Amino acid sequence: MRFLHTADWHIGRRLHGFDLTSEQKNAFEQIEKIAIDEKVDGIIIAGDLYDRSMPAEDSVALLNQMIEKLNLADKFPIYAISGNHDSATRLSTGSKWFKQTNFYLHTRLDQAFKPIELPDTQLFLLPYFELFDAQQYFNDETIKHLDQAFKPIAEKMKTQFNPQKKHILVAHFFADGSTQTASETQLTVGGLAAVPVALLQDFDYVALGHLHGKDALHADNARYSGSPVKFSLSEANQQKGVFIVDTDPVKLTFKPIKPLWDVQKLTETFATLTDKDFYQQLNLDNYYGITLQDTKPIPNVLAQLRNIYPHIISLDRENGYETAIDYRGESGKQIRQKDPMALLADFYQQIAKEDLTEQQKKWATEALKAANDGGKKS
Amino acid sequence: MRFLHTADWHIGRRLHGFDLTSEQKNAFEQIEKIAIDEKVDGIIIAGDLYDRSMPAEDSVALLNQMIEKLNLADKFPIYAISGNHDSATRLSTGSKWFKQTNFYLHTRLDQAFKPIELPDTQLFLLPYFELFDAQQYFNDETIKHLDQAFKPIAEKMKTQFNPQKKHILVAHFFADGSTQTASETQLTVGGLAAVPVALLQDFDYVALGHLHGKDALHADNARYSGSPVKFSLSEANQQKGVFIVDTDPVKLTFKPIKPLWDVQKLTETFATLTDKDFYQQLNLDNYYGITLQDTKPIPNVLAQLRNIYPHIISLDRENGYETAIDYRGESGKQIRQKDPMALLADFYQQIAKEDLTEQQKKWATEALKAANDGGKKS
C-alpha cells in the first residue's frame, strides 16, 4: 500500500505577527495534488493539526474545509492523531462519525491499541499523551519518563501484531537523537522527554510528528515528515514537503512543497540591501531575517528597510556597533544620579553623532513629565 | 410523525457561580427517557446547545457525550440549529458527517431553505442569524429589522412546500408578543428585534428556541420549549420540560422535567429562616433566592444563612432598613471632608448599633493606609 505522511500543520500559526493562512492554504493544495498524483491509499497526519488548543473561528473553518476536501470530496482515507498543540477533547468532536468515511482520528491513549486493519498493513494511531495518561492507563505511578511510558505501549501494540502484515506506528513525540529547532515547543510537560529509537525497532515504519524538519531524525524505520510550511527563521534552510510511504517493500520518497513566500536569511551591508541591483533579483514578498554587517549606527534602519522588504521578521547586527557607548569612566551610580535629559542627550549624540533638536528635546521633556506624573497618579 | 421539541441546553452555564453540570446531566437523562418512552421519530434542538461561543473543554466533552448517546447509541434522528450563544462555525465541525446518521445540524442561513424530507413532514432548520447575514443572502441592504428579514425567508421556504406534507419550522429568535425573563440575552444585535407571529402562520408548527419559559408564547402553531433547567431566579416558578409534537393531527403534549436541585424564592424573617421546624421541611441543597422581611440590621447575615442554606443565589430585603443612615443634616461636602475613620465609626455605629472594636479599628486603619500608599505607587 501507499501512504502520504504529513504532520504539524499548525493551522492558525503566525510568523512574527504575519498571517500564514494563504501560505498554509497553498501548501495544503500541493499536499492534495501529491496525494492525487501519487494515488495514495491514505493520508497520515501525525499531530498538531491546530497551533492552539483554543483555535480561532477562522482556523476551525479552515481546517474543517481541508479535511472535508480530502476525505469527503477526494475520498482519501485519513489517519490522524492529536499533537501537543491540539486540544484532544475539542479535536475529537465528531470523530465517532468520521470513521464512516475512513477518517480515523485518535485523541486518547486507549485508542492506540486497536490497529486500523488494512489489506497489507496494521496502522497504530498513538496520539500525543501526558505521562499522567500513561500512569493512569497502566495503573503504574512508577512511570516517570517517556521511555518508561512507551515500553509498555509498544509491548501492548505488539500483542496485536498480525505477522502477515506490515506495522506502521503514527505518533507525536520527541524521538531520542533528533535535532530540534526554535519553533517547536519543548515537550517536558510532566517529565515527558524522549523516546529511544531502539524502542521503535519492531515497527516497519514510524510516521512521526512534532519536529518541523524532515531531517530531524534519520532512523532506518522512523521519520518526521516535518511541517508543510516554515514557521521560524531557524527553519529557513529546511526543504519542506511530505513523505510517500510504500509498504511492500517499505520505501520512502520525499516530495517537496514549494513555499508561496519563502523564509530566508540575508546577511549584508545596509548599502547592499538598499541597492536596486541587489534587491531587484529577490522576491521582496518573502519573509526575511536580516543580519546587518555594518558597525555604524543607521537612523530609522528598520523603517528604511521595510520600505524595500515589507516582511522583515528579524533584524540584528553581525559585528555589533563600532563605538560602544562611552561612559567616560563614570560609575553606574554616577550615571543613575545624572539628569535624565542630560543622559538622553549624551546617548543620542554618541549613537547618532548629532545633538537633539529643540523639537526632540520638547518631546523628551513631555515624555519624562508624563512618566513622572503617571507614577504619582492611580 | 412524533417529535420531541427541546432547546436552550446552554451546556457550560453556571448559576451565580454554581456549577450546573449534574443538573444538566440529570435533565438530559430525563429528556432521553421521554424520547424513548414516547417512541419519538426524532429530536428537535432549537439552538443554544452551548452557553458560550468558546465553550470550555468539559462542556465540549459533555455535549459530545449527550449527542453521541441520542444519535449513535439510541439511534434517534436529531434536527438541530445553532443559537445566539453558539459559535456557528465551531458548532458546525463534523456536521457534513453527521447527516449519515440522520443528525442534521444547520448553522448557516443558506441551509434553511432545503427542507429535511420526512414521510409526512418537511422540516426547515433556520439557525440564529444576524441581520447582516440576511442582507448578504438576499443581497438587500434595505433589510433593517427582523420582520423584514424573516418575510423573504418564509416566502422562500414556502416555494419548497409539498402540500401533501406538514411543515415544521425550527428557529431561534424572539417572537413578537413573547414574555422575556432575566436570563435570556436581549437579541438587539444589528437591530435584530422580533418576528411577528403573523409571519409564522403558514407553518403547521414552529419549534422555537431562545426564551427559557415554555409559556413565553402561546400562539396556536408556535411554542418555545423552554430550557430543561432553571438558569436564574426569574425562572423559579417555571415548570421545565419538553414538548411532544404529533403531526397528524398536529397535537402538543408537554412533558415535565423534574429538577435535581430546584431554584426557589424564600421570603421570610431571619427568625423563621433559622428555625429548625421551618428549614427541616425544605430541600436545603436547593438554590435559594432569599428576601428578608426584617428591617433591623443582622450582623454576618449571609454567613449565618449559608450555614443552613449552602446554595444561596441572592439575598435582599423586602422592606429595606428600619433606620436610614442619619447624617444629622450634614451636607455631602461636610461629610466628604470628615476623617475616613470617623465616618466609618459613625456608619458602623448606626448600622450595627455598636462601636468598632480596637481590632476592627486596627484593620480599618491598615486598609486605609494600604489604599493611600497604593495610590502613590505604580
Side-chain angles (χ1 to χ4, degrees):
Chain A
M1 299 183 74
R2 168 172 281 190
F3 300 98
L4 183 151
H5 167 201
T6 178
D8 295 277
W9 289 9
H10 286 273
I11 300 301
R13 183 119 177 179
R14 299 178 75 83
L15 177 63
H16 294 271
F18 293 109
D19 180 1
L20 289 177
T21 303
S22 46
E23 195 67 41
Q24 291 177 309
K25 278 183 177 166
N26 173 267
F28 169 79
E29 283 155 14
Q30 294 183 62
I31 292 173
E32 184 188 21
K33 187 173 184 314
I34 293 168
I36 293 167
D37 295 347
E38 297 295 319
K39 302 185 177 54
V40 300
D41 300 303
I43 295 170
I44 292 168
I45 312 177
D48 283 358
L49 284 71
Y50 285 118
D51 189 54
R52 289 162 38 201
S53 63
M54 257 216 209
E57 275 197 350
D58 293 354
S59 307
V60 172
L62 181 58
L63 183 64
N64 286 351
Q65 284 164 25
M66 291 172 169
I67 297 293
E68 287 166 9
K69 187 75 164 64
L70 291 180
N71 183 245
L72 295 181
D74 302 337
K75 310 283 186 214
F76 285 115
I78 298 178
Y79 310 102
I81 56 173
S82 47
N84 56 302
H85 278 250
D86 302 304
S87 155
T89 302
R90 292 178 198 282
L91 196 64
S92 72
T93 300
S95 53
K96 289 218 170 116
W97 282 266
F98 297 156
K99 292 185 199 134
Q100 299 161 313
T101 55
N102 294 312
F103 169 19
Y104 297 87
L105 172 59
H106 286 189
T107 57
R108 299 191 324 271
L109 176 56
D110 64 275
Q111 297 176 300
F113 304 102
K114 195 175 164 300
I116 318 293
E117 296 287 350
L118 302 174
D120 78 353
T121 304
Q122 289 181 304
L123 265 177
F124 293 84
L125 305 185
L126 171 65
Y128 169 78
F129 60 93
E130 302 279 345
L131 223 43
F132 171 78
D133 304 316
Q135 289 172 350
Q136 284 237 314
Y137 184 79
F138 293 107
N139 189 20
D140 177 358
E141 298 206 339
T142 68
I143 295 174
K144 296 290 179 211
H145 296 290
L146 187 53
D147 52 351
Q148 296 169 314
F150 188 75
K151 198 171 279 148
I153 290 174
E155 285 311 319
K156 183 156 186 180
M157 286 176 173
K158 280 188 252 174
T159 64
Q160 304 296 311
F161 275 18
N162 171 348
Q164 310 308 322
K165 295 186 179 183
K166 293 291 196 298
H167 310 105
I168 294 180
L169 170 65
V170 179
H172 189 95
F173 52 58
F174 183 77
D176 212 1
S178 307
T179 49
Q180 197 152 15
T181 63
S183 61
E184 301 124 1
T185 316
Q186 294 280 352
L187 289 186
T188 50
V189 190
L192 203 61
V195 171
V197 172
L199 292 180
L200 306 174
Q201 65 192 7
D202 295 309
F203 295 94
D204 296 285
Y205 181 65
V206 182
L208 289 167
H210 181 54
L211 299 184
H212 296 172
K214 75 169 181 12
D215 297 311
L217 178 71
H218 279 276
D220 301 338
N221 67 330
R223 289 298 189 95
Y224 290 95
S225 64
S227 57
V229 167
K230 295 180 183 179
F231 291 133
S232 88
L233 195 60
S234 62
E235 300 179 25
N237 300 327
Q238 292 180 0
Q239 171 62 64
K240 297 300 189 180
V242 300
F243 278 115
I244 298 297
V245 185
D246 288 300
T247 57
D248 195 13
V250 175
K251 182 165 145 291
L252 280 188
T253 318
F254 183 77
K255 295 285 175 182
I257 291 175
K258 206 178 156 306
L260 187 61
W261 297 313
D262 204 358
V263 174
Q264 295 179 331
K265 292 179 181 174
L266 286 177
T267 302
E268 301 288 347
T269 64
F270 184 75
T272 308
L273 290 165
T274 51
D275 175 353
K276 238 192 170 63
D277 296 338
F278 173 80
Y279 65 72
Q280 271 179 337
Q281 306 158 21
L282 303 174
N283 177 351
L284 296 175
D285 280 328
N286 283 351
Y287 302 101
Y288 287 108
I290 295 179
T291 301
L292 286 170
Q293 295 174 313
D294 309 72
T295 55
K296 286 195 163 35
I298 305 165
N300 306 322
V301 58
L302 184 56
Q304 290 194 68
L305 289 172
R306 281 228 167 101
N307 291 336
I308 300 170
Y309 309 88
H311 300 143
I312 294 176
I313 58 176
S314 77
L315 178 64
D316 54 22
R317 295 249 177 179
E318 190 173 32
N319 313 311
Y321 287 90
E322 179 181 63
T323 50
I325 293 153
D326 170 15
Y327 291 111
R328 308 191 198 82
E330 292 172 301
S331 75
K333 188 158 180 306
Q334 286 170 310
I335 291 167
R336 277 191 296 281
Q337 284 165 347
K338 281 179 95 170
D339 160 41
M341 273 306 292
L343 268 175
L344 177 65
D346 286 359
F347 178 77
Y348 188 81
Q349 213 291 328
Q350 290 194 39
I351 293 299
K353 310 289 178 222
E354 306 167 357
D355 291 334
L356 288 165
T357 66
E358 285 314 311
Q359 179 60 62
Q360 288 172 321
K361 283 185 192 150
K362 188 160 164 300
W363 284 329
T365 317
E366 286 164 5
L368 282 164
K369 187 173 178 309
N372 290 330
D373 296 355
K376 294 213 183 51
K377 287 206 210 82
S378 70
Chain B
M1 297 183 77
R2 168 172 282 190
F3 302 97
L4 184 150
H5 168 202
T6 179
D8 296 278
W9 288 9
H10 286 273
I11 300 301
R13 184 122 177 174
R14 298 178 75 83
L15 178 62
H16 294 270
F18 293 110
D19 181 359
L20 288 176
T21 302
S22 45
E23 194 67 40
Q24 291 177 310
K25 278 183 178 168
N26 173 268
F28 169 79
E29 283 156 16
Q30 293 183 60
I31 292 173
E32 184 187 22
K33 186 173 186 313
I34 293 168
I36 292 167
D37 295 347
E38 297 296 320
K39 303 183 175 54
V40 300
D41 301 303
I43 295 170
I44 292 168
I45 312 176
D48 283 358
L49 284 73
Y50 286 118
D51 189 54
R52 289 159 41 201
S53 62
M54 258 217 209
E57 275 197 350
D58 293 354
S59 308
V60 172
L62 182 57
L63 183 66
N64 286 351
Q65 284 165 24
M66 291 172 169
I67 297 293
E68 287 166 10
K69 187 75 162 66
L70 291 181
N71 183 245
L72 295 181
D74 303 337
K75 310 283 185 211
F76 286 115
I78 298 178
Y79 310 102
I81 56 173
S82 47
N84 56 301
H85 278 249
D86 302 304
S87 155
T89 301
R90 292 178 197 282
L91 196 64
S92 72
T93 299
S95 52
K96 290 215 170 122
W97 282 265
F98 297 157
K99 291 185 199 135
Q100 299 161 314
T101 55
N102 295 310
F103 169 19
Y104 296 87
L105 172 58
H106 286 189
T107 57
R108 300 191 323 270
L109 177 56
D110 64 273
Q111 298 175 298
F113 304 103
K114 192 173 167 302
I116 318 292
E117 296 287 350
L118 303 174
D120 79 353
T121 304
Q122 290 181 303
L123 266 176
F124 293 83
L125 306 184
L126 171 64
Y128 168 77
F129 59 93
E130 303 279 345
L131 222 44
F132 170 78
D133 303 316
Q135 290 172 348
Q136 283 236 316
Y137 183 79
F138 293 107
N139 188 20
D140 177 358
E141 298 207 339
T142 68
I143 295 175
K144 295 290 179 216
H145 296 290
L146 186 53
D147 53 351
Q148 296 169 310
F150 187 75
K151 197 171 277 151
I153 289 173
E155 286 310 320
K156 182 154 187 180
M157 286 175 173
K158 280 187 254 173
T159 63
Q160 305 295 311
F161 274 20
N162 170 348
Q164 311 307 321
K165 295 186 178 183
K166 294 292 196 300
H167 311 104
I168 294 180
L169 170 65
V170 179
H172 190 95
F173 52 58
F174 183 76
D176 212 1
S178 308
T179 50
Q180 199 151 12
T181 63
S183 61
E184 300 122 2
T185 315
Q186 294 280 352
L187 289 186
T188 48
V189 191
L192 203 61
V195 171
V197 173
L199 292 180
L200 306 175
Q201 64 192 5
D202 295 308
F203 295 94
D204 296 287
Y205 182 64
V206 182
L208 289 168
H210 180 54
L211 298 184
H212 296 172
K214 75 171 181 9
D215 298 311
L217 177 71
H218 280 275
D220 302 338
N221 66 330
R223 290 298 189 94
Y224 289 95
S225 65
S227 58
V229 167
K230 296 180 183 179
F231 292 133
S232 88
L233 196 59
S234 63
E235 300 179 26
N237 301 325
Q238 292 180 0
Q239 172 60 66
K240 297 301 190 181
V242 300
F243 278 116
I244 297 298
V245 186
D246 288 300
T247 58
D248 194 14
V250 175
K251 182 167 145 291
L252 280 188
T253 318
F254 184 77
K255 296 286 175 182
I257 291 173
K258 206 177 155 307
L260 187 62
W261 297 314
D262 204 358
V263 174
Q264 294 180 333
K265 291 178 181 174
L266 286 177
T267 303
E268 301 289 347
T269 63
F270 184 75
T272 308
L273 290 165
T274 51
D275 174 354
K276 238 190 171 63
D277 296 339
F278 173 78
Y279 67 71
Q280 272 178 337
Q281 306 157 23
L282 303 174
N283 177 351
L284 296 175
D285 280 329
N286 283 351
Y287 302 100
Y288 287 107
I290 294 179
T291 301
L292 287 170
Q293 295 174 314
D294 309 72
T295 55
K296 289 196 161 36
I298 305 164
N300 306 322
V301 58
L302 185 56
Q304 291 194 66
L305 289 172
R306 281 230 167 101
N307 291 337
I308 301 168
Y309 309 88
H311 300 143
I312 294 176
I313 58 176
S314 76
L315 177 65
D316 55 19
R317 295 249 177 179
E318 191 173 32
N319 314 309
Y321 287 90
E322 184 179 62
T323 50
I325 294 152
D326 169 16
Y327 292 111
R328 310 194 197 80
E330 293 172 300
S331 74
K333 189 157 180 306
Q334 287 170 308
I335 291 167
R336 278 192 296 279
Q337 284 164 346
K338 282 178 91 170
D339 159 43
M341 275 305 293
L343 267 175
L344 177 65
D346 287 0
F347 178 78
Y348 188 80
Q349 213 291 328
Q350 291 193 40
I351 292 300
K353 309 290 178 218
E354 307 167 357
D355 292 333
L356 288 165
T357 65
E358 284 315 309
Q359 180 60 64
Q360 287 171 324
K361 283 187 190 148
K362 189 161 163 299
W363 285 328
T365 318
E366 286 164 4
L368 284 165
K369 186 172 177 310
N372 291 331
D373 295 355
K376 294 213 182 52
K377 287 208 210 79
S378 72

